[in-house]
Amino acid sequence: MKKSLPFLTLLAAFVWVGCSKELSLESGAPPAGNNAVGTLVGAPGACANITLAGVYGQAIASDTSDYLLVDLDFTTAGDFIISTDTVNGMFFADTGSVANTGIAQLKLQAFGSPLNPGVFNYTVKFKGSSCTFSLEVFPVVTSTGNDYFPTSLNSWWNYISNDPAAAPSDTVRSIATGTTITLAATGRQYDIFQNVYHTAVTDTSLYRKAPGEYFAYDDIDQFGLADTVIAGEWIFLKDNVAAGTSWFSPEVNTTAASVPVKMRLKMDITQRNVDAAVDNKVYRNVIKVRTTQQVQATAVAPFVDVVSFESWYARGIGLIQVAAPSPFFGYRLQAFVVN
């Protein structure tokens, strides 16, 4: 068994400056007028200090998670109306009031659905002031299954490293072999996955499923902190629980740098049924799971978090992304076939 990350074996508050916003499109209360005066920061060129929030996929209707933050320098307080032009079936807009002059960060909600994938240029307009920004819309990956981790025969997934210094050839293909093995250690039957690295080195991963739960049999020490491999089974994903749900792997006694410790994994559903952009594509119905390695130094000490990574699973497709800190980085999905 190979130590790896993850078990694929690879693996605000907004600060308002000088102004207070009181009304907006979000509240449904339009301003009494449009008597505020100011200039968009960055006008007449590219909008300065903008933030685009949300995931933009072809034909996906915008919602409250899709918005634009833009700075406007007010010279006269009052009510305002601000919007963009309509491009590719979408526009951004906001209304509100400011009580003071100065720079305020405004939140323009997205409206509509992108018609086509590509990069599109928008113009933000406030009275005689305007600035521009670009928005990229990605194609949407479709799927028909309901399994968040398919194991059907000859299904495969190609992953590439998220390490900025990695070569394009730093890839792995995970293949569902359609064969199983029963382990004496657990008495359970597992699906065997073969993982083929760009170096032609191969190893295997073991998984099983129960209603709503997905199990891995691998090294519970996912980050190589222990002195030896800690083979065991744990639930790496639950698809029938709400965001915010947590659970743990079994606790195991081991040593780290020759010091006796106890280790376990903690899993948290951070998001559920969301859209996610990976490698210039949008996946729908995604569950995000944060996995944290925890260590207990003594029997009376609490478990402490050491390091975490986040895995994203798309319904009907499987694992699409592993986001991990340096020097692990994780991997992202490039191509797949689910049979």
Side-chain angles (χ1 to χ4, degrees), residues 11-189:
L11 336 198
F14 301 121
V15 178
W16 296 89
V17 182
C19 299
S20 62
K21 184 179 174 187
E22 299 169 351
L23 302 173
S24 73
L25 287 174
E26 295 171 301
S27 67
N34 189 21
N35 55 358
V37 178
T39 303
L40 285 156
V41 178
C47 302
N49 303 321
I50 68 163
T51 298
L52 264 172
V55 175
Y56 299 89
Q58 183 180 12
I60 296 179
S62 56
D63 58 28
T64 55
S65 66
D66 305 316
Y67 57 86
L68 167 72
L69 299 178
V70 64
D71 287 348
L72 200 156
D73 188 1
F74 286 97
T75 54
T76 300
D79 301 326
F80 65 84
I81 301 172
I82 185 172
S83 64
T84 70
D85 47 356
T86 299
V87 179
N88 193 36
M90 283 188 60
F91 70 95
F92 296 78
D94 189 25
T95 64
S97 297
V98 290
N100 303 296
T101 59
I103 295 177
Q105 188 179 66
L106 305 182
K107 180 179 179 181
L108 281 65
Q109 186 65 50
F111 296 91
S113 303
L115 299 176
N116 299 294
V119 178
F120 301 90
N121 298 319
Y122 285 78
T123 301
V124 184
K125 301 175 183 178
F126 176 70
K127 296 189 172 180
S129 177
S130 65
C131 62
T132 60
F133 69 94
S134 296
L135 170 68
E136 187 167 9
V137 176
F138 298 117
V140 177
V141 180
T142 58
S143 64
T144 57
N146 292 315
D147 199 330
Y148 283 86
F149 197 85
T151 58
S152 47
L153 173 64
N154 291 331
S155 295
W156 56 262
W157 300 260
N158 275 5
Y159 298 92
I160 186 169
S161 175
N162 288 331
D163 185 346
S169 60
D170 189 1
T171 60
V172 64
R173 173 173 286 200
S174 184
I175 305 167
T177 65
T179 57
T180 62
I181 185 173
T182 299
L183 295 183
T186 63
R188 301 286 189 174
Q189 181 174 281

Side-chain angles (χ1 to χ4, degrees), residues 17-18 30 44 70 112 128 150 161 163 175 202 258 263 268 284 296 338:
V17 182
V70 64
S161 175
D163 185 346
I175 305 167
T202 63
S258 300
M263 287 189 182
D268 300 280
R284 311 216 68 186
Q296 183 187 46
V338 175

Side-chain angles (χ1 to χ4, degrees), residues 25 60 85 89 112 140 166 174 176 196 207 221 238 285 310 321 331 335:
L25 287 174
I60 296 179
D85 47 356
V140 177
S174 184
V196 183
Y207 306 101
D221 175 24
K238 295 185 179 185
N285 301 304
E310 190 169 82
Q321 164 93 305
Y331 277 72

Side-chain angles (χ1 to χ4, degrees), residues 200-214:
V201 173
T202 63
D203 63 12
T204 57
S205 298
L206 304 179
Y207 306 101
R208 71 178 182 90
K209 293 183 283 188
E213 297 180 335
Y214 303 78

